[in-house]
Amino acid sequence: MKDLTRALDSSATSESGMETFFKRQLLRRLSGLPRGRLIIEDGGEQHVLGGVTDPKGLTAIVNIHSMAAYRDIAIGGSMGAADAFIEGKWSSPVLVDVIRLMSANIDFLNNIDDSRSFPLRWLEKGFHWLNRNTQVNSKKNIA
């Protein structure tokens, strides 16, 4: 996954276009959130996703600090979101609310993770194949 991210980072000329693409894709997919609301604050923009009335009133706020967060989440799904959080690309004033909201929508999110496009899945498989655990790659894979 990190190699795929590095490869996408290396094309500086198309980076903003690619990140905008990933942002649109992710927002489109998350707009169907069946329970609760997710508010994504990105610079001067605010995106309210879901919004279905929930008796528990689940609402979570995510602050995007880097456009690369959209790419990481769109490509890596739940694991990409975790990596992006650890790398400081996004945060939340109340992280527990984000976890509760995601837990309440786990089936929906699993379907999103499984519905990545065919070319993207093959691209990901190609990067995994290039980094397979051979004698030459083993030192690089461990580092």
Side-chain angles (χ1 to χ4, degrees):
M1 176 54 59
K2 294 203 184 278
D3 289 325
L4 178 59
T5 302
R6 269 189 238 124
L8 289 171
D9 279 339
S10 67
S11 60
T13 57
S14 63
E15 183 174 304
S16 63
M18 289 297 288
E19 288 173 349
T20 300
F21 168 78
F22 288 125
K23 177 181 178 178
R24 273 187 276 139
Q25 291 299 311
L26 186 64
L27 293 175
R28 183 181 57 79
R29 288 181 175 199
L30 290 176
S31 67
L33 203 65
R35 294 181 191 89
R37 275 189 325 163
L38 177 63
I39 300 170
I40 298 178
E41 296 177 348
D42 178 4
E45 297 179 37
Q46 186 178 65
H47 308 277
V48 179
L49 307 168
V52 176
T53 306
D54 190 342
K56 296 179 184 176
L58 289 173
T59 298
I61 300 170
V62 168
N63 298 308
I64 302 293
H65 305 296
S66 169
M67 286 289 286
Y70 291 112
R71 177 193 59 217
D72 293 351
I73 298 166
I75 291 173
S78 302
M79 293 304 295
D83 287 341
F85 176 78
I86 290 168
E87 293 169 5
K89 295 176 184 175
W90 69 269
S91 65
S92 176
V94 185
L95 186 58
V96 172
D97 288 348
V98 176
I99 294 169
R100 284 184 181 138
L101 181 65
M102 297 303 129
S103 296
N105 291 286
I106 193 70
D107 292 333
F108 173 77
L109 295 171
N110 284 339
N111 286 333
I112 287 177
D113 277 355
D114 293 340
S115 69
R116 286 177 291 175
S117 71
F118 182 75
L120 186 57
R121 285 182 286 167
W122 275 101
L123 181 65
E124 204 171 63
K125 285 179 188 268
F127 279 105
H128 284 291
W129 183 81
L130 290 172
N131 292 311
R132 65 193 180 282
N133 202 20
T134 63
Q135 285 184 339
V136 174
N137 286 340
S138 62
K139 288 182 184 178
K140 183 173 65 172
N141 289 340
I142 292 170

